[in-house]
């Protein structure tokens, strides 16, 4: 199930890989866009006579292979594995690598669902979770020295407070302590940040976000160049079956083709929005790594090729933040992020409601913006009007 174009494609630049890796035209018809293979099963040339390894839709599908080849290529990896959601991908990775008694050391403002999965689904099976501020290297070193962790789970920029963690430094710390270093690269996307090149072992994606890019598909991916680890995750992908369906895989593939230019525009618009908000007297704080005042700005400038499309802001208090969240017209109030259209979310009651009252709780005065690719002036005018109405 390998893609014959993958080897030559590996030498190309990011935007070329995003458009071409795994996307060779259909050899029978010349159709430039590879067809969507909906078949759940494959004819065998005699028992066990499989064509290109395809046997049954859960174990393999050519449309999924095309996506997996593309995702591996754009992260600079050997293996990409695609799943039905970001959390399904995380679940497969965690169950492939952990056993009862093991612990995950998690950043203290990672996506709430990641914490919920480990604490509430894997917890009853004997897996432990500790949290630490991943942007504080001394705190991470102390936590690892106190007790070993099987996995060091890094999310940078983090959701929703845009904390920046130093991937290269954390990879060294994690490896010295014998941990597998996992980076959730959902917020940056590989167009802006390549964690494997910085020393991480595994990259996790909610492809629902920037990779899909159009808010029309839910999916996830695991990316690694570790053959043995990929084998274990692939076995679980097959054995548990949380695979992406062919139409979902195809939509994600189509989204990835424009990732490079979308991320450029998201970053430009987010920068303009962040600077507007930073100068507004109703806004108490702006969280955006592109601002020189952001504590992680220098690390972000070193390890990212752009600061991304997410901006969070703090208002005076929770009720004001709630009102802002309900007062925009171009920004749509909705969960999720990373689509071409601008969205806004009140984390405490929406995306991060599951971590209320825990160490990962998001301050009630915070609103998260997913800045889309519309005209920046229109986005700023919308926020300006909403802030004036408070
Ligand atoms: C950073 C991050 N990781 C993982 C996930 C989970 O992905 P999914 O919703 O596709 O299961 C999300 C979802 O919001 C996320 O923001």
């Amino acid at each position: 199930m390998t893609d014959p174009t993958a080897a030559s494609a590996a030498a190309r630049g990011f935007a070329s890989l995003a458009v071409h890796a795994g996307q060779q035209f259909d050899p029978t018809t010349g159709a430039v866009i590879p067809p969507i293979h909906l078949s759940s099963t494959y004819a065998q040339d005699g028992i066990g006579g499989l064509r290109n390894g395809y046997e049954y839709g859960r174990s393999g599908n050519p449309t999924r292979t095309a996506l997996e080849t593309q995702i591996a290529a754009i992260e600079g990896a050997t293996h990409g594995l695609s799943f039905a959601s970001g959390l399904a991908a995380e679940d497969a990775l965690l169950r492939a690598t952990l056993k009862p008694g093991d612990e995950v050391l998690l950043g203290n403002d990672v996506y709430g669902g990641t914490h919920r999965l480990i604490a509430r689904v894997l917890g009853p099976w004997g897996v432990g979770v500790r949290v630490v501020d991943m942007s504080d290297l001394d705190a991470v070193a102390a936590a690892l020295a106190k007790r070993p962790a099987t996995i060091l789970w890094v999310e940078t920029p983090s959701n929703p407070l845009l904390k920046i963690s130093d991937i290269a430094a954390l990879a060294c710390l994690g490896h010295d302590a014998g941990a597998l270093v996992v980076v959730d690269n959902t917020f940056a996307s590989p167009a802006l940040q390549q964690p494997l090149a910085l020393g991480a072992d595994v990259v996790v994606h909610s492809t629902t976000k920037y990779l899909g890019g159009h808010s029309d598909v839910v999916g996830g991916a695991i990316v690694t160049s570790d053959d043995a680890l990929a084998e274990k995750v692939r076995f679980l992908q097959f054995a548990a079956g949380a695979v992406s369906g062919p139409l979902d895989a195809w939509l994600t593939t189509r989204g990835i083709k424009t990732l490079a230019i979308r991320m450029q525009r998201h970053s430009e618009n987010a920068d303009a929005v962040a600077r507007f908000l930073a100068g507004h007297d109703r806004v108490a704080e702006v969280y955006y790594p592109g601002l020189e005042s952001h504590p992680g700005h220098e690390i972000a400038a070193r390890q990212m090729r752009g600061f991304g499309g997410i901006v969070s802001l703090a208002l005076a208090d929770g009720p004001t933040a709630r009102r802002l969240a309900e007062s925009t017209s171009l920004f749509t109030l909705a969960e999720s992020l990373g689509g071409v259209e601008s969205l806004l979310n009140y984390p405490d009651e929406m995306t991060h409601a599951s971590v209320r009252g825990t160490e990962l709780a998001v301050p009630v005065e915070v609103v998260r913006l997913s800045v889309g690719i519309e005209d920046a002036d229109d986005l700023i005018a919308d926020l300006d009007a909403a802030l004036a109405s408070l």
Side-chain angles (χ1 to χ4, degrees):
M1 271 181 274
T2 52
D3 169 18
T5 65
S8 56
R12 297 188 183 132
F14 182 86
S16 305
L17 290 176
V19 173
H20 292 289
Q23 308 303 311
Q24 70 275 20
F25 62 80
D26 178 34
T28 52
T29 63
V32 168
I33 301 303
I36 304 173
H37 290 270
L38 293 169
S39 190
S40 60
T41 190
Y42 303 87
Q44 304 194 8
D45 298 318
I47 295 170
L50 307 181
R51 298 194 179 189
N52 294 314
Y54 293 107
E55 179 182 39
Y56 178 62
R58 175 163 35 75
S59 55
N61 169 289
T63 311
R64 199 166 83 226
T65 304
L67 171 61
E68 293 182 334
T69 304
Q70 187 188 27
I71 290 182
I74 59 174
E75 283 285 6
T78 317
H79 308 280
L81 297 104
S82 130
F83 291 85
S85 72
L87 283 175
E90 293 185 16
D91 179 51
L93 174 68
L94 291 164
R95 284 195 288 141
T97 50
L98 296 168
K99 56 183 189 322
D102 287 349
E103 256 188 10
V104 181
L105 188 60
L106 202 63
N108 67 356
D109 71 335
V110 300
Y111 169 62
T114 300
H115 182 266
R116 179 180 55 205
L117 172 64
I118 302 171
R120 293 177 54 190
V121 179
L122 300 184
W125 294 87
V127 169
V129 60
R130 279 184 293 157
V131 301
V132 67
D133 180 352
M134 283 289 166
S135 64
D136 180 346
L137 294 176
D138 291 339
V140 177
L144 288 170
K146 192 170 166 198
R147 223 172 34 244
T150 308
I151 292 180
L152 187 68
W153 189 286
V154 182
E155 188 182 304
T156 180
S158 66
N159 179 3
L161 294 179
L162 286 309
K163 271 195 194 162
I164 298 296
S165 303
D166 185 334
I167 297 174
L170 288 168
C172 289
L173 279 178
H175 291 154
D176 286 351
L180 186 77
V181 178
V182 177
V183 175
D184 185 331
N185 203 24
T186 298
F187 264 41
S189 93
L192 303 185
Q193 176 172 277
Q194 308 225 302
L196 299 180
L198 294 166
D201 301 301
V202 186
V203 166
V204 172
H205 276 288
S206 168
T207 57
T208 313
K209 312 297 180 333
Y210 288 108
L211 269 59
H214 297 73
S215 305
D216 55 10
V217 59
V218 172
I222 298 297
V223 193
T224 184
S225 291
D226 178 330
D227 295 344
L229 178 64
E231 187 66 36
K232 285 189 200 167
V233 179
R234 197 169 289 287
F235 173 72
L236 209 53
Q237 183 193 42
F238 160 70
V243 294
S244 43
L247 187 57
D248 289 354
W250 185 84
L251 281 168
T252 309
T253 280
R254 187 168 70 160
I256 289 173
K257 291 180 184 179
T258 55
L259 182 65
I261 52 170
R262 280 190 288 108
M263 291 315 294
Q264 198 178 336
R265 174 69 172 230
H266 281 298
S267 300
E268 286 165 11
N269 280 359
D271 189 74
V273 164
R275 287 178 200 280
F276 160 74
L277 293 171
H280 200 287
D281 55 9
R282 298 300 302 264
V283 176
E285 190 157 356
V286 179
Y287 307 87
Y288 186 62
L291 295 179
E292 295 72 18
S293 55
H294 186 287
H297 176 71
E298 276 173 32
I299 296 169
R302 202 168 63 227
Q303 72 185 12
M304 298 176 77
R305 286 189 299 239
F307 299 103
I310 308 299
V311 178
S312 290
L313 63 150
L315 283 299
D317 49 39
T320 315
R322 279 185 107 263
R323 276 205 308 284
L324 176 73
E326 294 176 342
S327 302
T328 53
S329 57
L330 197 51
F331 279 87
T332 302
L333 178 62
E335 302 212 357
S336 202
L337 56 99
V340 291
E341 63 289 301
S342 292
L343 300 179
L344 152 157
N345 157 57
Y346 182 57
D348 177 60
E349 287 185 40
M350 295 170 66
T351 48
H352 289 65
S354 71
V355 289
R356 268 172 137 184
T358 73
E359 292 165 278
L360 282 83
V362 177
V364 292
E365 58 275 13
V366 167
V367 171
R368 186 190 74 194
L369 309 177
S370 172
V371 181
I373 63 167
E374 302 95 332
D375 292 295
D377 289 349
D378 292 337
L379 296 174
I380 289 171
D382 188 32
L383 291 169
D384 201 18
L387 287 163
S389 75
L390 295 178

